[in-house]
Amino acid sequence: MKLSGNTILITGCGMGIGALTAERLAKEGNDIIGVDINQSLMKEIQLKVESAGRKFYGYVCDLSKEDDIGNLIKKIRKNKLSFQVLINNAGIAPSGPFEGKDFSVWEKALQINVHGPMKLVYESLPILREQKEACIINLASIAGKFGTEGTVTYSATKHAMVGFSQALKMELYETQIGVSWICPSMAKTRMIDGVKPSIFTPVIEPDQVAKAICKAIVKNPGEVLVPSYLRSTIVIMPALFPKFSLWLAVKTKASKGWLLANKGLEKNIPV
């Protein structure tokens, strides 16, 4: 589909990859429906979108609450809005020893990273089916391709999003709705504060992810790894040499940084 003339719903629009993507898409000629848990976080991106000559519609929604998601779509309908592109960007990344935190922390990640996007897709599909062309972009992670210490629950949520997206793409294959999922390495946002990178998890610029999202809207490629060379190290090599890949990941402390960072919810969402 074309990268201009659309209305695009983006969750987690107030900062980081969500805000960068909204700004880039506005410059390409799209209106933005911004969704975030905090209205004040969207003030800056609203100004940037409007300075590009496009419309910005901001909505507050707690993606950990199913009723909030249902009400979001009702409000959009009530305001006589529709959208052609849904970008499920919002997510949190608590980390540390799986046994070392109250399970409510992990449960929050499951709600926001899995239940929220799935519920939003479910509620959005009637709107997307009304469009001549439409697409769904889900933000997964390289943690959705392999799991390592310190990211037990986060990896589980991103594996879920990869599986959900793959199955949904097959289910919608003969419709006008495309489905793609982006699996980036560690992007320079506050989500990785205090986390040391490794050879398996290089640090990338958030704009690389925003570019990949824009390209996916046009090309509908399915799975996209950012950077693309990671497919060799985290997909092909583990498939061919599973024991060696596991040994290498452990010995190089592939995500030991996440274990040591021991992040709670405080740097992920307002509490």
Side-chain angles (χ1 to χ4, degrees), residues 95-156:
S95 70
F98 183 62
E99 294 179 285
K101 280 185 170 52
D102 189 275
F103 193 76
S104 63
V105 174
W106 308 133
E107 193 169 33
K108 195 74 170 180
L110 287 165
Q111 291 168 344
I112 294 174
N113 293 4
V114 182
H115 299 162
M118 290 181 70
K119 174 68 171 176
L120 184 54
V121 168
Y122 181 84
E123 295 287 351
S124 299
L125 277 171
I127 293 177
L128 297 176
R129 286 189 181 278
E130 294 169 358
Q131 314 306 315
K132 185 177 180 181
E133 286 185 294
C135 77
I136 298 165
I137 308 290
N138 292 323
L139 263 290
S141 167
I142 59 167
K145 304 301 292 181
F146 77 110
T148 53
E149 70 271 48
T151 67
V152 172
T153 301
Y154 182 69
S155 293

Side-chain angles (χ1 to χ4, degrees), residues 22-90:
E23 182 179 4
R24 177 177 283 272
L25 287 169
K27 290 178 179 178
E28 292 285 350
N30 301 282
D31 294 333
I32 304 296
I33 299 176
V35 177
D36 207 287
I37 195 171
N38 190 327
Q39 183 76 46
S40 64
L41 292 177
M42 292 188 283
K43 290 181 179 178
E44 184 177 350
I45 187 58
Q46 178 173 356
L47 291 174
K48 289 181 178 180
V49 168
E50 290 175 348
S51 69
R54 307 308 305 181
K55 294 178 181 178
F56 183 91
Y57 309 93
Y59 292 89
V60 174
C61 180
D62 184 345
L63 293 173
S64 69
K65 299 177 180 178
E66 287 193 15
D67 287 348
D68 269 26
I69 298 169
N71 289 333
L72 168 68
I73 298 301
K74 287 178 182 177
K75 289 175 185 176
I76 290 172
R77 288 279 202 185
K78 186 177 180 180
N79 292 333
K80 302 188 185 306
L81 294 173
S82 64
F83 50 92
Q84 292 75 44
V85 180
L86 168 62
I87 301 175
N88 271 312
N89 165 72

